[in-house]
Amino acid sequence: MLPFKLVYSDGYCLPIGEHVFPAEKYRRIKQRLLDAGIAQAEDFLEPEPASDSDVLLVHGAAYVYKLQTGTLSAREELQLEIPYSPELVHAFWLAAGGSILAARRALQEGVGINIGGGFHHAFPDHGEGFCMIHDVAVAIRRLQKDKKIVRAMTVDCDVHQGNGTAAIFRKKQPVALVLPSSSAPTLARATPLPREETDVFTISLHQENNYPSWKPPSSVDVNLPDGMGDEQYLAWLDNAVSSGLRQFQHDLLCYVAGADPYREDQLGGLNLSIEGLKKRDEFVFRVARTRGIPVMVTLAGGYARKVEDTVTIHCNTVIAAREVFG
Ligand SMILES: [Zn+2]
Protein backbone atom coordinates (compact mmCIF):
# COMPACT_ATOMS: atom_id res chain seq x y z
CA MET A 1 0.00 0.00 0.00
CA LEU A 2 1.16 3.51 -0.72
CA PRO A 3 1.87 5.87 2.20
CA PHE A 4 -0.46 8.43 0.61
CA LYS A 5 -3.72 8.50 -1.33
CA LEU A 6 -4.46 8.76 -5.03
CA VAL A 7 -7.67 10.59 -5.81
CA TYR A 8 -9.39 9.32 -8.91
CA SER A 9 -12.79 8.92 -10.53
CA ASP A 10 -13.84 7.32 -13.81
CA GLY A 11 -15.79 10.55 -14.21
CA TYR A 12 -12.51 12.43 -14.83
CA CYS A 13 -12.61 11.26 -18.44
CA LEU A 14 -13.61 14.40 -20.34
CA PRO A 15 -16.43 13.65 -22.80
CA ILE A 16 -14.72 15.35 -25.74
CA GLY A 17 -14.30 12.49 -28.21
CA GLU A 18 -11.26 12.38 -30.47
CA HIS A 19 -9.10 15.29 -29.36
CA VAL A 20 -5.46 16.18 -28.87
CA PHE A 21 -6.28 16.12 -25.15
CA PRO A 22 -6.15 12.38 -24.37
CA ALA A 23 -9.16 12.27 -22.05
CA GLU A 24 -8.72 8.56 -21.43
CA LYS A 25 -5.27 9.09 -19.89
CA TYR A 26 -6.70 9.18 -16.37
CA ARG A 27 -8.21 5.73 -16.62
CA ARG A 28 -5.05 4.39 -18.23
CA ILE A 29 -2.88 5.81 -15.47
CA LYS A 30 -4.97 4.10 -12.81
CA GLN A 31 -4.84 0.82 -14.72
CA ARG A 32 -1.08 1.03 -15.23
CA LEU A 33 -0.48 1.78 -11.55
CA LEU A 34 -2.55 -1.28 -10.62
CA ASP A 35 -1.08 -3.58 -13.28
CA ALA A 36 2.47 -2.63 -12.34
CA GLY A 37 1.78 -3.26 -8.67
CA ILE A 38 2.63 0.34 -7.79
CA ALA A 39 -0.78 0.93 -6.24
CA GLN A 40 -3.57 -1.25 -4.86
CA ALA A 41 -7.28 -0.64 -5.18
CA GLU A 42 -7.41 0.70 -1.60
CA ASP A 43 -4.89 3.43 -2.41
CA PHE A 44 -7.52 5.21 -4.50
CA LEU A 45 -10.12 7.58 -3.12
CA GLU A 46 -13.22 8.58 -5.06
CA PRO A 47 -13.91 12.32 -4.89
CA GLU A 48 -17.22 14.14 -4.67
CA PRO A 49 -17.78 16.96 -7.15
CA ALA A 50 -16.92 20.40 -5.77
CA SER A 51 -19.98 22.29 -4.59
CA ASP A 52 -21.11 25.38 -6.47
CA SER A 53 -20.15 27.48 -3.47
CA ASP A 54 -16.60 26.07 -3.68
CA VAL A 55 -16.39 26.96 -7.37
CA LEU A 56 -17.74 30.43 -6.63
CA LEU A 57 -14.79 31.06 -4.30
CA VAL A 58 -12.75 31.48 -7.50
CA HIS A 59 -15.14 31.98 -10.39
CA GLY A 60 -17.67 34.69 -11.07
CA ALA A 61 -21.38 33.94 -10.65
CA ALA A 62 -22.15 34.98 -14.23
CA TYR A 63 -19.60 32.53 -15.66
CA VAL A 64 -20.74 29.67 -13.41
CA TYR A 65 -24.35 30.36 -14.42
CA LYS A 66 -23.43 30.19 -18.10
CA LEU A 67 -21.68 26.86 -17.56
CA GLN A 68 -24.60 25.38 -15.71
CA THR A 69 -27.21 26.56 -18.15
CA GLY A 70 -25.25 25.90 -21.33
CA THR A 71 -25.32 29.55 -22.35
CA LEU A 72 -21.68 30.22 -23.20
CA SER A 73 -21.35 32.35 -26.31
CA ALA A 74 -19.84 30.77 -29.42
CA ARG A 75 -16.68 32.76 -28.77
CA GLU A 76 -16.45 31.56 -25.19
CA GLU A 77 -16.86 27.97 -26.29
CA LEU A 78 -14.18 28.38 -28.94
CA GLN A 79 -11.81 29.81 -26.39
CA LEU A 80 -12.34 26.72 -24.23
CA GLU A 81 -11.07 24.58 -27.13
CA ILE A 82 -13.14 21.60 -26.00
CA PRO A 83 -16.80 21.01 -26.89
CA TYR A 84 -19.23 22.13 -24.20
CA SER A 85 -21.70 19.68 -22.68
CA PRO A 86 -23.37 19.37 -19.27
CA GLU A 87 -21.33 16.18 -18.78
CA LEU A 88 -18.15 18.17 -19.35
CA VAL A 89 -19.22 20.59 -16.61
CA HIS A 90 -19.70 17.63 -14.28
CA ALA A 91 -16.21 16.27 -15.10
CA PHE A 92 -14.62 19.62 -14.21
CA TRP A 93 -16.60 19.94 -10.97
CA LEU A 94 -15.43 16.43 -10.12
CA ALA A 95 -11.79 17.30 -10.86
CA ALA A 96 -12.09 20.31 -8.55
CA GLY A 97 -13.59 18.12 -5.84
CA GLY A 98 -10.65 15.76 -6.40
CA SER A 99 -8.14 18.54 -5.88
CA ILE A 100 -9.89 19.61 -2.67
CA LEU A 101 -9.70 16.01 -1.42
CA ALA A 102 -6.05 15.62 -2.49
CA ALA A 103 -5.15 18.85 -0.69
CA ARG A 104 -6.90 17.67 2.49
CA ARG A 105 -5.07 14.36 2.31
CA ALA A 106 -1.79 16.18 1.72
CA LEU A 107 -2.26 17.97 5.04
CA GLN A 108 -2.72 14.57 6.72
CA GLU A 109 -0.13 12.43 4.94
CA GLY A 110 2.40 14.92 3.58
CA VAL A 111 1.37 14.32 -0.01
CA GLY A 112 -1.93 13.82 -1.83
CA ILE A 113 -2.14 13.15 -5.55
CA ASN A 114 -5.09 13.92 -7.74
CA ILE A 115 -4.91 11.64 -10.81
CA GLY A 116 -6.54 14.52 -12.67
CA GLY A 117 -6.88 18.28 -12.40
CA GLY A 118 -4.24 20.94 -12.99
CA PHE A 119 -6.57 23.06 -15.13
CA HIS A 120 -4.39 26.12 -14.81
CA HIS A 121 -5.67 28.07 -17.82
CA ALA A 122 -9.10 28.77 -16.32
CA PHE A 123 -9.74 32.40 -15.31
CA PRO A 124 -12.37 33.67 -12.87
CA ASP A 125 -14.67 34.73 -15.70
CA HIS A 126 -13.80 32.41 -18.55
CA GLY A 127 -12.21 29.12 -19.48
CA GLU A 128 -9.57 28.52 -22.11
CA GLY A 129 -6.95 26.03 -23.27
CA PHE A 130 -8.98 22.90 -22.32
CA CYS A 131 -9.62 24.30 -18.82
CA MET A 132 -13.16 25.15 -17.74
CA ILE A 133 -12.62 25.87 -14.04
CA HIS A 134 -9.43 26.12 -11.99
CA ASP A 135 -9.46 23.10 -9.68
CA VAL A 136 -6.22 24.02 -7.90
CA ALA A 137 -7.43 27.51 -7.06
CA VAL A 138 -10.77 26.12 -5.89
CA ALA A 139 -8.93 23.71 -3.58
CA ILE A 140 -6.71 26.47 -2.16
CA ARG A 141 -9.63 28.80 -1.53
CA ARG A 142 -11.71 26.03 0.06
CA LEU A 143 -8.91 25.05 2.46
CA GLN A 144 -8.37 28.70 3.32
CA LYS A 145 -12.08 29.09 3.96
CA ASP A 146 -11.98 26.05 6.24
CA LYS A 147 -8.97 27.62 8.01
CA LYS A 148 -6.86 24.55 7.23
CA ILE A 149 -4.23 26.70 5.52
CA VAL A 150 -3.41 30.38 5.37
CA ARG A 151 -0.90 30.57 2.55
CA ALA A 152 -0.10 28.35 -0.39
CA MET A 153 2.49 28.16 -3.14
CA THR A 154 1.90 26.82 -6.64
CA VAL A 155 4.79 25.26 -8.54
CA ASP A 156 3.62 24.86 -12.10
CA CYS A 157 5.86 22.72 -14.31
CA ASP A 158 3.44 22.30 -17.22
CA VAL A 159 5.10 23.47 -20.44
CA HIS A 160 2.44 26.19 -20.77
CA GLN A 161 2.40 29.18 -18.47
CA GLY A 162 -0.16 29.07 -15.67
CA ASN A 163 -2.00 32.16 -16.86
CA GLY A 164 -5.21 31.42 -14.95
CA THR A 165 -3.27 30.80 -11.75
CA ALA A 166 -1.37 34.05 -12.18
CA ALA A 167 -4.56 36.03 -12.85
CA ILE A 168 -6.49 34.51 -9.94
CA PHE A 169 -3.75 35.00 -7.36
CA ARG A 170 -2.23 38.21 -8.60
CA LYS A 171 -0.95 40.20 -5.68
CA LYS A 172 -3.49 42.28 -3.91
CA GLN A 173 -3.09 45.98 -4.41
CA PRO A 174 -0.64 47.49 -1.95
CA VAL A 175 -2.33 48.80 1.15
CA ALA A 176 -2.68 52.55 0.87
CA LEU A 177 0.24 54.12 2.63
CA VAL A 178 -0.98 55.72 5.85
CA LEU A 179 1.35 58.49 6.81
CA PRO A 180 1.78 59.42 10.45
CA SER A 181 -0.34 62.39 11.37
CA SER A 182 -1.04 64.37 14.50
CA SER A 183 -4.42 62.69 14.88
CA ALA A 184 -2.91 59.22 14.81
CA PRO A 185 0.48 59.52 16.45
CA THR A 186 0.84 55.80 17.11
CA LEU A 187 1.27 55.21 13.42
CA ALA A 188 4.48 57.16 13.52
CA ARG A 189 6.13 54.48 15.58
CA ALA A 190 8.26 52.26 13.38
CA THR A 191 5.36 51.19 11.19
CA PRO A 192 6.92 49.14 8.40
CA LEU A 193 6.25 50.35 4.91
CA PRO A 194 3.31 48.44 3.51
CA ARG A 195 4.40 45.69 1.19
CA GLU A 196 2.53 44.02 -1.56
CA GLU A 197 0.89 41.07 0.13
CA THR A 198 -0.28 37.86 -1.38
CA ASP A 199 -1.61 34.71 0.21
CA VAL A 200 -0.70 32.50 -2.74
CA PHE A 201 2.75 32.63 -4.27
CA THR A 202 2.78 31.42 -7.87
CA ILE A 203 5.76 29.92 -9.69
CA SER A 204 5.53 28.94 -13.35
CA LEU A 205 8.28 27.31 -15.39
CA HIS A 206 7.24 27.22 -19.01
CA GLN A 207 8.28 27.54 -22.61
CA GLU A 208 8.18 31.22 -23.46
CA ASN A 209 7.42 30.72 -27.12
CA ASN A 210 4.16 28.85 -26.60
CA TYR A 211 0.53 29.31 -25.57
CA PRO A 212 -0.66 31.49 -23.86
CA SER A 213 0.56 34.45 -25.88
CA TRP A 214 -0.46 36.86 -23.11
CA LYS A 215 1.17 35.72 -19.90
CA PRO A 216 -0.12 37.59 -16.86
CA PRO A 217 2.70 37.79 -14.32
CA SER A 218 3.10 35.02 -11.75
CA SER A 219 5.10 35.72 -8.59
CA VAL A 220 7.99 34.00 -10.38
CA ASP A 221 7.88 33.28 -14.10
CA VAL A 222 10.69 31.33 -15.71
CA ASN A 223 10.45 31.82 -19.47
CA LEU A 224 12.39 28.95 -20.96
CA PRO A 225 13.78 28.97 -24.49
CA ASP A 226 12.71 26.36 -27.05
CA GLY A 227 14.46 23.02 -26.84
CA MET A 228 15.77 23.22 -23.28
CA GLY A 229 16.92 19.84 -21.97
CA ASP A 230 16.90 18.07 -18.60
CA GLU A 231 19.96 19.52 -16.94
CA GLN A 232 19.27 23.17 -17.56
CA TYR A 233 15.58 22.74 -16.79
CA LEU A 234 16.32 21.17 -13.43
CA ALA A 235 18.77 23.96 -12.62
CA TRP A 236 16.10 26.58 -13.40
CA LEU A 237 13.56 24.70 -11.34
CA ASP A 238 15.93 24.65 -8.38
CA ASN A 239 16.58 28.34 -8.87
CA ALA A 240 12.91 29.28 -9.04
CA VAL A 241 11.77 27.15 -6.12
CA SER A 242 14.68 28.26 -3.93
CA SER A 243 13.90 31.87 -4.73
CA GLY A 244 10.22 31.32 -3.91
CA LEU A 245 11.04 29.66 -0.60
CA ARG A 246 13.30 32.55 0.38
CA GLN A 247 10.48 35.01 -0.21
CA PHE A 248 7.46 33.18 1.07
CA GLN A 249 6.38 30.81 3.84
CA HIS A 250 3.42 28.60 3.09
CA ASP A 251 1.29 25.80 4.48
CA LEU A 252 0.66 23.90 1.27
CA LEU A 253 2.58 23.41 -1.96
CA CYS A 254 0.44 22.78 -5.04
CA TYR A 255 2.50 21.01 -7.65
CA VAL A 256 1.15 21.13 -11.21
CA ALA A 257 3.03 18.20 -12.74
CA GLY A 258 2.37 18.67 -16.45
CA ALA A 259 3.76 15.91 -18.66
CA ASP A 260 4.11 18.23 -21.65
CA PRO A 261 7.70 19.50 -21.23
CA TYR A 262 8.50 16.05 -22.70
CA ARG A 263 10.50 16.12 -25.93
CA GLU A 264 7.87 14.09 -27.80
CA ASP A 265 4.97 16.33 -26.83
CA GLN A 266 2.79 17.62 -29.65
CA LEU A 267 1.99 20.90 -27.92
CA GLY A 268 5.34 21.49 -26.26
CA GLY A 269 8.71 22.64 -27.50
CA LEU A 270 11.03 21.70 -24.66
CA ASN A 271 13.34 18.72 -24.77
CA LEU A 272 12.98 16.89 -21.49
CA SER A 273 13.36 13.12 -21.29
CA ILE A 274 11.08 10.82 -19.33
CA GLU A 275 13.92 10.36 -16.81
CA GLY A 276 14.40 14.13 -16.56
CA LEU A 277 10.73 14.61 -15.81
CA LYS A 278 10.91 12.04 -13.03
CA LYS A 279 13.91 13.87 -11.55
CA ARG A 280 11.84 17.04 -11.68
CA ASP A 281 9.10 15.34 -9.66
CA GLU A 282 11.63 13.97 -7.17
CA PHE A 283 13.14 17.42 -6.74
CA VAL A 284 9.80 19.02 -5.89
CA PHE A 285 8.90 16.20 -3.48
CA ARG A 286 12.31 16.34 -1.77
CA VAL A 287 12.05 20.08 -1.24
CA ALA A 288 8.56 19.67 0.24
CA ARG A 289 9.56 16.76 2.43
CA THR A 290 12.77 18.36 3.70
CA ARG A 291 10.87 21.46 4.74
CA GLY A 292 7.84 19.63 6.05
CA ILE A 293 5.49 21.32 3.57
CA PRO A 294 2.47 19.23 2.51
CA VAL A 295 2.29 18.84 -1.25
CA MET A 296 -0.84 18.42 -3.35
CA VAL A 297 -0.27 17.16 -6.88
CA THR A 298 -2.35 17.60 -10.02
CA LEU A 299 -1.49 16.22 -13.45
CA ALA A 300 -2.30 19.01 -15.95
CA GLY A 301 -1.29 18.58 -19.62
CA GLY A 302 0.38 15.80 -21.58
CA TYR A 303 0.07 15.38 -25.34
CA ALA A 304 2.85 12.98 -26.27
CA ARG A 305 2.65 11.46 -29.72
CA LYS A 306 2.24 8.11 -27.96
CA VAL A 307 -0.37 8.35 -25.19
CA GLU A 308 1.57 5.59 -23.43
CA ASP A 309 4.45 8.02 -22.86
CA THR A 310 2.11 10.53 -21.23
CA VAL A 311 0.79 7.72 -19.02
CA THR A 312 4.36 6.72 -18.09
CA ILE A 313 5.30 10.29 -17.16
CA HIS A 314 2.24 10.69 -14.93
CA CYS A 315 2.76 7.25 -13.33
CA ASN A 316 6.37 8.23 -12.64
CA THR A 317 5.09 11.16 -10.59
CA VAL A 318 3.40 8.64 -8.29
CA ILE A 319 6.56 6.50 -8.20
CA ALA A 320 8.69 9.56 -7.39
CA ALA A 321 6.34 10.43 -4.52
CA ARG A 322 6.59 6.87 -3.21
CA GLU A 323 10.40 7.02 -3.37
CA VAL A 324 10.57 10.31 -1.50
CA PHE A 325 7.71 9.83 0.99
CA GLY A 326 7.85 6.03 1.30
ZN1 LIG B 1 0.22 22.31 -20.86
Side-chain angles (χ1 to χ4, degrees), residues 174-196:
V175 183
L177 181 61
V178 184
L179 290 167
S181 74
S182 55
S183 61
T186 51
L187 287 173
R189 215 189 46 207
T191 305
L193 281 177
R195 290 185 304 123
E196 280 190 278

PDB file of all heavy atoms in Angstrom, residues 174-196:
ATOM      1  N   PRO A 174      -1.283  47.084  -3.184  1.00  0.00           N
ATOM      2  CA  PRO A 174      -0.635  47.489  -1.946  1.00  0.00           C
ATOM      3  C   PRO A 174      -1.610  48.275  -1.070  1.00  0.00           C
ATOM      4  O   PRO A 174      -2.441  49.025  -1.575  1.00  0.00           O
ATOM      5  CB  PRO A 174       0.504  48.395  -2.412  1.00  0.00           C
ATOM      6  CG  PRO A 174       0.664  48.120  -3.851  1.00  0.00           C
ATOM      7  CD  PRO A 174      -0.633  47.579  -4.374  1.00  0.00           C
ATOM      8  N   VAL A 175      -1.488  48.054   0.212  1.00  0.00           N
ATOM      9  CA  VAL A 175      -2.333  48.802   1.148  1.00  0.00           C
ATOM     10  C   VAL A 175      -1.960  50.275   1.017  1.00  0.00           C
ATOM     11  O   VAL A 175      -0.787  50.609   0.885  1.00  0.00           O
ATOM     12  CB  VAL A 175      -2.041  48.327   2.593  1.00  0.00           C
ATOM     13  CG1 VAL A 175      -2.953  49.027   3.583  1.00  0.00           C
ATOM     14  CG2 VAL A 175      -2.168  46.818   2.685  1.00  0.00           C
ATOM     15  N   ALA A 176      -2.968  51.122   0.997  1.00  0.00           N
ATOM     16  CA  ALA A 176      -2.678  52.555   0.870  1.00  0.00           C
ATOM     17  C   ALA A 176      -1.755  52.988   2.008  1.00  0.00           C
ATOM     18  O   ALA A 176      -1.956  52.607   3.157  1.00  0.00           O
ATOM     19  CB  ALA A 176      -3.973  53.343   0.917  1.00  0.00           C
ATOM     20  N   LEU A 177      -0.747  53.686   1.631  1.00  0.00           N
ATOM     21  CA  LEU A 177       0.239  54.122   2.633  1.00  0.00           C
ATOM     22  C   LEU A 177      -0.403  55.130   3.580  1.00  0.00           C
ATOM     23  O   LEU A 177      -0.941  56.147   3.154  1.00  0.00           O
ATOM     24  CB  LEU A 177       1.424  54.758   1.913  1.00  0.00           C
ATOM     25  CG  LEU A 177       2.565  55.260   2.784  1.00  0.00           C
ATOM     26  CD1 LEU A 177       3.176  54.110   3.587  1.00  0.00           C
ATOM     27  CD2 LEU A 177       3.618  55.913   1.917  1.00  0.00           C
ATOM     28  N   VAL A 178      -0.409  54.801   4.848  1.00  0.00           N
ATOM     29  CA  VAL A 178      -0.977  55.716   5.848  1.00  0.00           C
ATOM     30  C   VAL A 178       0.179  56.452   6.503  1.00  0.00           C
ATOM     31  O   VAL A 178       0.980  55.859   7.204  1.00  0.00           O
ATOM     32  CB  VAL A 178      -1.789  54.937   6.912  1.00  0.00           C
ATOM     33  CG1 VAL A 178      -2.443  55.900   7.888  1.00  0.00           C
ATOM     34  CG2 VAL A 178      -2.823  54.058   6.243  1.00  0.00           C
ATOM     35  N   LEU A 179       0.248  57.716   6.247  1.00  0.00           N
ATOM     36  CA  LEU A 179       1.354  58.488   6.815  1.00  0.00           C
ATOM     37  C   LEU A 179       1.030  58.888   8.242  1.00  0.00           C
ATOM     38  O   LEU A 179      -0.132  59.120   8.572  1.00  0.00           O
ATOM     39  CB  LEU A 179       1.594  59.745   5.975  1.00  0.00           C
ATOM     40  CG  LEU A 179       2.178  59.461   4.591  1.00  0.00           C
ATOM     41  CD1 LEU A 179       2.086  60.716   3.735  1.00  0.00           C
ATOM     42  CD2 LEU A 179       3.599  58.964   4.680  1.00  0.00           C
ATOM     43  N   PRO A 180       2.033  58.964   9.082  1.00  0.00           N
ATOM     44  CA  PRO A 180       1.778  59.417  10.446  1.00  0.00           C
ATOM     45  C   PRO A 180       1.185  60.818  10.426  1.00  0.00           C
ATOM     46  O   PRO A 180       1.545  61.646   9.600  1.00  0.00           O
ATOM     47  CB  PRO A 180       3.166  59.441  11.082  1.00  0.00           C
ATOM     48  CG  PRO A 180       4.022  58.615  10.189  1.00  0.00           C
ATOM     49  CD  PRO A 180       3.431  58.679   8.824  1.00  0.00           C
ATOM     50  N   SER A 181       0.241  61.052  11.294  1.00  0.00           N
ATOM     51  CA  SER A 181      -0.341  62.388  11.373  1.00  0.00           C
ATOM     52  C   SER A 181      -0.573  62.715  12.835  1.00  0.00           C
ATOM     53  O   SER A 181      -0.521  61.840  13.694  1.00  0.00           O
ATOM     54  CB  SER A 181      -1.664  62.438  10.610  1.00  0.00           C
ATOM     55  OG  SER A 181      -2.643  61.769  11.364  1.00  0.00           O
ATOM     56  N   SER A 182      -0.874  63.960  13.108  1.00  0.00           N
ATOM     57  CA  SER A 182      -1.044  64.375  14.505  1.00  0.00           C
ATOM     58  C   SER A 182      -2.246  63.693  15.148  1.00  0.00           C
ATOM     59  O   SER A 182      -2.307  63.474  16.342  1.00  0.00           O
ATOM     60  CB  SER A 182      -1.184  65.894  14.604  1.00  0.00           C
ATOM     61  OG  SER A 182      -2.244  66.282  13.754  1.00  0.00           O
ATOM     62  N   SER A 183      -3.243  63.329  14.316  1.00  0.00           N
ATOM     63  CA  SER A 183      -4.419  62.691  14.881  1.00  0.00           C
ATOM     64  C   SER A 183      -4.199  61.202  15.148  1.00  0.00           C
ATOM     65  O   SER A 183      -4.992  60.568  15.814  1.00  0.00           O
ATOM     66  CB  SER A 183      -5.621  62.883  13.950  1.00  0.00           C
ATOM     67  OG  SER A 183      -5.347  62.275  12.710  1.00  0.00           O
ATOM     68  N   ALA A 184      -3.163  60.640  14.583  1.00  0.00           N
ATOM     69  CA  ALA A 184      -2.909  59.217  14.808  1.00  0.00           C
ATOM     70  C   ALA A 184      -1.423  59.007  15.092  1.00  0.00           C
ATOM     71  O   ALA A 184      -0.704  58.419  14.297  1.00  0.00           O
ATOM     72  CB  ALA A 184      -3.339  58.404  13.601  1.00  0.00           C
ATOM     73  N   PRO A 185      -0.955  59.513  16.204  1.00  0.00           N
ATOM     74  CA  PRO A 185       0.481  59.517  16.455  1.00  0.00           C
ATOM     75  C   PRO A 185       1.083  58.117  16.560  1.00  0.00           C
ATOM     76  O   PRO A 185       2.266  57.936  16.292  1.00  0.00           O
ATOM     77  CB  PRO A 185       0.601  60.283  17.770  1.00  0.00           C
ATOM     78  CG  PRO A 185      -0.748  60.213  18.395  1.00  0.00           C
ATOM     79  CD  PRO A 185      -1.714  60.093  17.297  1.00  0.00           C
ATOM     80  N   THR A 186       0.272  57.142  16.948  1.00  0.00           N
ATOM     81  CA  THR A 186       0.839  55.798  17.111  1.00  0.00           C
ATOM     82  C   THR A 186       1.374  55.241  15.797  1.00  0.00           C
ATOM     83  O   THR A 186       2.259  54.409  15.794  1.00  0.00           O
ATOM     84  CB  THR A 186      -0.217  54.826  17.661  1.00  0.00           C
ATOM     85  OG1 THR A 186      -1.374  54.937  16.838  1.00  0.00           O
ATOM     86  CG2 THR A 186      -0.581  55.147  19.098  1.00  0.00           C
ATOM     87  N   LEU A 187       0.811  55.705  14.707  1.00  0.00           N
ATOM     88  CA  LEU A 187       1.271  55.208  13.417  1.00  0.00           C
ATOM     89  C   LEU A 187       2.692  55.649  13.104  1.00  0.00           C
ATOM     90  O   LEU A 187       3.344  55.066  12.261  1.00  0.00           O
ATOM     91  CB  LEU A 187       0.334  55.696  12.304  1.00  0.00           C
ATOM     92  CG  LEU A 187      -1.038  55.031  12.251  1.00  0.00           C
ATOM     93  CD1 LEU A 187      -1.916  55.726  11.227  1.00  0.00           C
ATOM     94  CD2 LEU A 187      -0.909  53.560  11.913  1.00  0.00           C
ATOM     95  N   ALA A 188       3.147  56.640  13.797  1.00  0.00           N
ATOM     96  CA  ALA A 188       4.481  57.162  13.518  1.00  0.00           C
ATOM     97  C   ALA A 188       5.559  56.221  14.044  1.00  0.00           C
ATOM     98  O   ALA A 188       6.706  56.310  13.654  1.00  0.00           O
ATOM     99  CB  ALA A 188       4.622  58.533  14.156  1.00  0.00           C
ATOM    100  N   ARG A 189       5.145  55.328  14.906  1.00  0.00           N
ATOM    101  CA  ARG A 189       6.130  54.481  15.576  1.00  0.00           C
ATOM    102  C   ARG A 189       6.540  53.294  14.706  1.00  0.00           C
ATOM    103  O   ARG A 189       5.796  52.331  14.543  1.00  0.00           O
ATOM    104  CB  ARG A 189       5.527  53.996  16.899  1.00  0.00           C
ATOM    105  CG  ARG A 189       6.513  53.865  18.017  1.00  0.00           C
ATOM    106  CD  ARG A 189       5.859  53.190  19.181  1.00  0.00           C
ATOM    107  NE  ARG A 189       5.110  52.029  18.730  1.00  0.00           N
ATOM    108  CZ  ARG A 189       4.054  51.543  19.346  1.00  0.00           C
ATOM    109  NH1 ARG A 189       3.605  52.093  20.423  1.00  0.00           N
ATOM    110  NH2 ARG A 189       3.426  50.479  18.878  1.00  0.00           N
ATOM    111  N   ALA A 190       7.657  53.373  14.120  1.00  0.00           N
ATOM    112  CA  ALA A 190       8.262  52.264  13.378  1.00  0.00           C
ATOM    113  C   ALA A 190       7.268  51.372  12.621  1.00  0.00           C
ATOM    114  O   ALA A 190       7.371  50.158  12.641  1.00  0.00           O
ATOM    115  CB  ALA A 190       9.086  51.395  14.329  1.00  0.00           C
ATOM    116  N   THR A 191       6.284  51.980  12.019  1.00  0.00           N
ATOM    117  CA  THR A 191       5.364  51.190  11.193  1.00  0.00           C
ATOM    118  C   THR A 191       6.096  50.801   9.913  1.00  0.00           C
ATOM    119  O   THR A 191       6.589  51.675   9.194  1.00  0.00           O
ATOM    120  CB  THR A 191       4.124  52.025  10.826  1.00  0.00           C
ATOM    121  OG1 THR A 191       3.552  52.513  12.031  1.00  0.00           O
ATOM    122  CG2 THR A 191       3.092  51.191  10.092  1.00  0.00           C
ATOM    123  N   PRO A 192       6.202  49.508   9.629  1.00  0.00           N
ATOM    124  CA  PRO A 192       6.916  49.145   8.404  1.00  0.00           C
ATOM    125  C   PRO A 192       6.167  49.654   7.179  1.00  0.00           C
ATOM    126  O   PRO A 192       4.949  49.760   7.198  1.00  0.00           O
ATOM    127  CB  PRO A 192       6.936  47.614   8.434  1.00  0.00           C
ATOM    128  CG  PRO A 192       5.854  47.215   9.385  1.00  0.00           C
ATOM    129  CD  PRO A 192       5.632  48.365  10.326  1.00  0.00           C
ATOM    130  N   LEU A 193       6.901  49.938   6.149  1.00  0.00           N
ATOM    131  CA  LEU A 193       6.253  50.353   4.905  1.00  0.00           C
ATOM    132  C   LEU A 193       5.368  49.214   4.426  1.00  0.00           C
ATOM    133  O   LEU A 193       5.760  48.054   4.480  1.00  0.00           O
ATOM    134  CB  LEU A 193       7.305  50.657   3.837  1.00  0.00           C
ATOM    135  CG  LEU A 193       7.976  52.009   3.954  1.00  0.00           C
ATOM    136  CD1 LEU A 193       9.049  52.131   2.880  1.00  0.00           C
ATOM    137  CD2 LEU A 193       6.947  53.134   3.777  1.00  0.00           C
ATOM    138  N   PRO A 194       4.168  49.526   3.978  1.00  0.00           N
ATOM    139  CA  PRO A 194       3.308  48.442   3.506  1.00  0.00           C
ATOM    140  C   PRO A 194       3.954  47.753   2.307  1.00  0.00           C
ATOM    141  O   PRO A 194       4.523  48.408   1.436  1.00  0.00           O
ATOM    142  CB  PRO A 194       2.025  49.150   3.093  1.00  0.00           C
ATOM    143  CG  PRO A 194       2.192  50.577   3.403  1.00  0.00           C
ATOM    144  CD  PRO A 194       3.585  50.843   3.833  1.00  0.00           C
ATOM    145  N   ARG A 195       3.858  46.452   2.310  1.00  0.00           N
ATOM    146  CA  ARG A 195       4.396  45.689   1.193  1.00  0.00           C
ATOM    147  C   ARG A 195       3.231  45.119   0.398  1.00  0.00           C
ATOM    148  O   ARG A 195       2.125  45.015   0.889  1.00  0.00           O
ATOM    149  CB  ARG A 195       5.231  44.513   1.704  1.00  0.00           C
ATOM    150  CG  ARG A 195       6.515  44.921   2.351  1.00  0.00           C
ATOM    151  CD  ARG A 195       7.335  43.694   2.709  1.00  0.00           C
ATOM    152  NE  ARG A 195       6.629  42.756   3.552  1.00  0.00           N
ATOM    153  CZ  ARG A 195       6.423  41.486   3.232  1.00  0.00           C
ATOM    154  NH1 ARG A 195       6.842  41.017   2.086  1.00  0.00           N
ATOM    155  NH2 ARG A 195       5.798  40.671   4.046  1.00  0.00           N
ATOM    156  N   GLU A 196       3.554  44.743  -0.819  1.00  0.00           N
ATOM    157  CA  GLU A 196       2.527  44.021  -1.565  1.00  0.00           C
ATOM    158  C   GLU A 196       2.358  42.670  -0.884  1.00  0.00           C
ATOM    159  O   GLU A 196       3.319  41.954  -0.643  1.00  0.00           O
ATOM    160  CB  GLU A 196       2.983  43.791  -3.002  1.00  0.00           C
ATOM    161  CG  GLU A 196       2.808  44.993  -3.890  1.00  0.00           C
ATOM    162  CD  GLU A 196       3.050  44.611  -5.324  1.00  0.00           C
ATOM    163  OE1 GLU A 196       4.216  44.560  -5.714  1.00  0.00           O
ATOM    164  OE2 GLU A 196       2.085  44.364  -6.047  1.00  0.00           O
TER     165      GLU A 196
END
